[in-house]
Amino acid sequence: MAGIILAILLVAGFAFVAPHVQAQALGEGELFGSAEDGSAFAEQAGLASMDLTSLIANIIRAVLGFAGVVLVVMILYGGFLWMTAGGNDDRVKKAKRTITNAVIGLVIAISSYAIASFV
């Protein structure tokens, strides 16, 4: 209990002692480069040479990659449920169902990723 109170006091103390900082004001044309339409910024970020289909394909790949990561975490969660079931048949069935559904979803996500990369 004393450790928690000490931690709260330290955090509060650092919050009140911390120096105030202010951001430097940007002049006109400094946010997106010197060009008015932002073309210099787009070139610097690598966006100027990308067409719409490539952009959409990259977005689809990113979403499918994220879905794959979520499904792998679901497989690990199902394994954790199975390991902590302690012989309880209901919890084992729930774990098996979670792992099965996650594997089916992962196969679908990998297939979709392959199709999106091929097309």
Short mmCIF file of all heavy atoms in Angstrom, two decimals, residues 21-49:
data_model
loop_
_atom_site.label_atom_id
_atom_site.label_comp_id
_atom_site.label_asym_id
_atom_site.label_seq_id
_atom_site.Cartn_x
_atom_site.Cartn_y
_atom_site.Cartn_z
N VAL A 21 6.97 23.04 -22.50
CA VAL A 21 7.60 23.19 -23.81
C VAL A 21 6.56 23.69 -24.80
O VAL A 21 5.36 23.44 -24.65
CB VAL A 21 8.19 21.86 -24.32
CG1 VAL A 21 9.33 21.43 -23.44
CG2 VAL A 21 7.15 20.78 -24.39
N GLN A 22 7.03 24.40 -25.79
CA GLN A 22 6.13 24.92 -26.81
C GLN A 22 6.70 24.56 -28.17
O GLN A 22 7.91 24.57 -28.36
CB GLN A 22 5.99 26.43 -26.67
CG GLN A 22 5.34 26.84 -25.38
CD GLN A 22 5.25 28.34 -25.24
OE1 GLN A 22 5.72 29.08 -26.08
NE2 GLN A 22 4.62 28.78 -24.17
N ALA A 23 5.82 24.23 -29.09
CA ALA A 23 6.24 23.86 -30.42
C ALA A 23 6.61 25.10 -31.22
O ALA A 23 6.09 26.18 -31.00
CB ALA A 23 5.12 23.11 -31.14
N GLN A 24 7.52 24.92 -32.15
CA GLN A 24 7.91 26.01 -33.02
C GLN A 24 6.80 26.25 -34.04
O GLN A 24 6.28 25.32 -34.64
CB GLN A 24 9.21 25.66 -33.74
CG GLN A 24 9.69 26.71 -34.68
CD GLN A 24 10.98 26.29 -35.36
OE1 GLN A 24 11.55 25.28 -35.02
NE2 GLN A 24 11.40 27.07 -36.33
N ALA A 25 6.47 27.48 -34.26
CA ALA A 25 5.43 27.81 -35.22
C ALA A 25 5.96 27.64 -36.63
O ALA A 25 7.10 28.00 -36.94
CB ALA A 25 4.96 29.24 -35.01
N LEU A 26 5.14 27.04 -37.49
CA LEU A 26 5.53 26.85 -38.88
C LEU A 26 5.09 28.03 -39.71
O LEU A 26 4.00 28.58 -39.52
CB LEU A 26 4.87 25.58 -39.44
CG LEU A 26 5.36 24.26 -38.84
CD1 LEU A 26 4.55 23.11 -39.42
CD2 LEU A 26 6.82 24.05 -39.10
N GLY A 27 5.95 28.41 -40.63
CA GLY A 27 5.60 29.48 -41.54
C GLY A 27 4.74 28.97 -42.68
O GLY A 27 4.47 27.78 -42.81
N GLU A 28 4.35 29.88 -43.55
CA GLU A 28 3.50 29.50 -44.67
C GLU A 28 4.31 28.66 -45.65
O GLU A 28 5.42 28.99 -46.04
CB GLU A 28 2.99 30.76 -45.38
CG GLU A 28 1.95 30.46 -46.42
CD GLU A 28 1.33 31.73 -46.97
OE1 GLU A 28 1.23 32.71 -46.22
OE2 GLU A 28 0.97 31.72 -48.15
N GLY A 29 3.77 27.51 -46.05
CA GLY A 29 4.43 26.63 -47.00
C GLY A 29 5.40 25.66 -46.38
O GLY A 29 6.01 24.87 -47.08
N GLU A 30 5.59 25.68 -45.07
CA GLU A 30 6.54 24.77 -44.44
C GLU A 30 5.93 23.42 -44.08
O GLU A 30 6.65 22.46 -43.87
CB GLU A 30 7.12 25.39 -43.17
CG GLU A 30 8.05 26.53 -43.43
CD GLU A 30 8.61 27.10 -42.14
OE1 GLU A 30 7.92 27.06 -41.12
OE2 GLU A 30 9.75 27.57 -42.18
N LEU A 31 4.63 23.33 -44.01
CA LEU A 31 4.00 22.09 -43.59
C LEU A 31 4.09 21.02 -44.67
O LEU A 31 4.45 19.90 -44.39
CB LEU A 31 2.54 22.34 -43.21
CG LEU A 31 1.78 21.14 -42.65
CD1 LEU A 31 2.46 20.62 -41.39
CD2 LEU A 31 0.36 21.52 -42.35
N PHE A 32 3.79 21.35 -45.89
CA PHE A 32 3.82 20.39 -46.98
C PHE A 32 4.91 20.71 -48.00
O PHE A 32 4.78 20.42 -49.17
CB PHE A 32 2.46 20.34 -47.69
CG PHE A 32 1.37 19.79 -46.82
CD1 PHE A 32 0.35 20.60 -46.38
CD2 PHE A 32 1.38 18.47 -46.44
CE1 PHE A 32 -0.65 20.09 -45.60
CE2 PHE A 32 0.39 17.95 -45.65
CZ PHE A 32 -0.64 18.76 -45.22
N GLY A 33 5.98 21.26 -47.59
CA GLY A 33 7.05 21.62 -48.51
C GLY A 33 6.82 22.99 -49.10
O GLY A 33 5.93 23.73 -48.72
N SER A 34 7.63 23.33 -50.06
CA SER A 34 7.55 24.68 -50.62
C SER A 34 6.44 24.83 -51.65
O SER A 34 5.98 25.92 -51.91
CB SER A 34 8.89 25.05 -51.26
OG SER A 34 9.20 24.13 -52.29
N ALA A 35 6.01 23.73 -52.26
CA ALA A 35 4.96 23.83 -53.28
C ALA A 35 3.61 24.02 -52.62
O ALA A 35 3.34 23.50 -51.56
CB ALA A 35 4.95 22.57 -54.16
N GLU A 36 2.75 24.77 -53.26
CA GLU A 36 1.44 25.07 -52.70
C GLU A 36 0.51 23.85 -52.71
O GLU A 36 -0.33 23.70 -51.85
CB GLU A 36 0.78 26.21 -53.49
CG GLU A 36 1.42 27.55 -53.27
CD GLU A 36 1.28 28.04 -51.83
OE1 GLU A 36 0.24 27.81 -51.21
OE2 GLU A 36 2.24 28.65 -51.34
N ASP A 37 0.67 22.98 -53.71
CA ASP A 37 -0.25 21.84 -53.82
C ASP A 37 0.22 20.62 -53.04
O ASP A 37 -0.45 19.60 -53.03
CB ASP A 37 -0.48 21.47 -55.29
CG ASP A 37 0.82 21.07 -55.98
OD1 ASP A 37 1.90 21.24 -55.39
OD2 ASP A 37 0.74 20.58 -57.12
N GLY A 38 1.37 20.67 -52.41
CA GLY A 38 1.84 19.55 -51.61
C GLY A 38 2.56 18.49 -52.41
O GLY A 38 2.76 17.38 -51.92
N SER A 39 2.95 18.76 -53.63
CA SER A 39 3.60 17.74 -54.46
C SER A 39 4.98 17.36 -53.91
O SER A 39 5.39 16.21 -54.03
CB SER A 39 3.71 18.22 -55.90
OG SER A 39 4.47 19.42 -55.96
N ALA A 40 5.68 18.31 -53.32
CA ALA A 40 6.99 17.99 -52.74
C ALA A 40 6.83 17.05 -51.56
O ALA A 40 7.62 16.11 -51.39
CB ALA A 40 7.71 19.27 -52.31
N PHE A 41 5.81 17.28 -50.77
CA PHE A 41 5.54 16.39 -49.64
C PHE A 41 5.17 15.00 -50.12
O PHE A 41 5.61 13.99 -49.57
CB PHE A 41 4.42 16.97 -48.77
CG PHE A 41 4.00 16.07 -47.65
CD1 PHE A 41 4.79 15.94 -46.52
CD2 PHE A 41 2.83 15.35 -47.73
CE1 PHE A 41 4.41 15.10 -45.49
CE2 PHE A 41 2.44 14.51 -46.72
CZ PHE A 41 3.24 14.39 -45.58
N ALA A 42 4.34 14.91 -51.17
CA ALA A 42 3.93 13.63 -51.71
C ALA A 42 5.11 12.85 -52.26
O ALA A 42 5.22 11.64 -52.08
CB ALA A 42 2.86 13.81 -52.78
N GLU A 43 6.03 13.56 -52.94
CA GLU A 43 7.22 12.90 -53.45
C GLU A 43 8.12 12.41 -52.31
O GLU A 43 8.66 11.32 -52.37
CB GLU A 43 7.99 13.84 -54.36
CG GLU A 43 7.35 14.03 -55.71
CD GLU A 43 8.18 14.95 -56.59
OE1 GLU A 43 9.41 14.99 -56.41
OE2 GLU A 43 7.58 15.63 -57.43
N GLN A 44 8.27 13.21 -51.29
CA GLN A 44 9.10 12.84 -50.14
C GLN A 44 8.53 11.62 -49.43
O GLN A 44 9.27 10.77 -48.96
CB GLN A 44 9.20 14.02 -49.17
CG GLN A 44 10.20 13.83 -48.07
CD GLN A 44 11.61 14.13 -48.53
OE1 GLN A 44 11.83 14.69 -49.59
NE2 GLN A 44 12.57 13.73 -47.73
N ALA A 45 7.21 11.52 -49.34
CA ALA A 45 6.56 10.41 -48.66
C ALA A 45 6.40 9.19 -49.55
O ALA A 45 6.00 8.13 -49.09
CB ALA A 45 5.18 10.84 -48.15
N GLY A 46 6.72 9.30 -50.84
CA GLY A 46 6.60 8.18 -51.76
C GLY A 46 5.18 7.98 -52.27
O GLY A 46 4.82 6.89 -52.70
N LEU A 47 4.37 8.99 -52.21
CA LEU A 47 2.98 8.87 -52.63
C LEU A 47 2.74 9.38 -54.04
O LEU A 47 1.69 9.12 -54.62
CB LEU A 47 2.07 9.65 -51.67
CG LEU A 47 2.08 9.18 -50.22
CD1 LEU A 47 1.28 10.14 -49.36
CD2 LEU A 47 1.54 7.78 -50.11
N ALA A 48 3.69 10.10 -54.61
CA ALA A 48 3.46 10.72 -55.91
C ALA A 48 3.44 9.69 -57.03
O ALA A 48 2.69 9.83 -57.99
CB ALA A 48 4.51 11.77 -56.18
N SER A 49 4.23 8.65 -56.93
CA SER A 49 4.34 7.71 -58.04
C SER A 49 3.37 6.54 -57.92
O SER A 49 3.35 5.67 -58.78
CB SER A 49 5.77 7.17 -58.11
OG SER A 49 6.08 6.48 -56.90
#
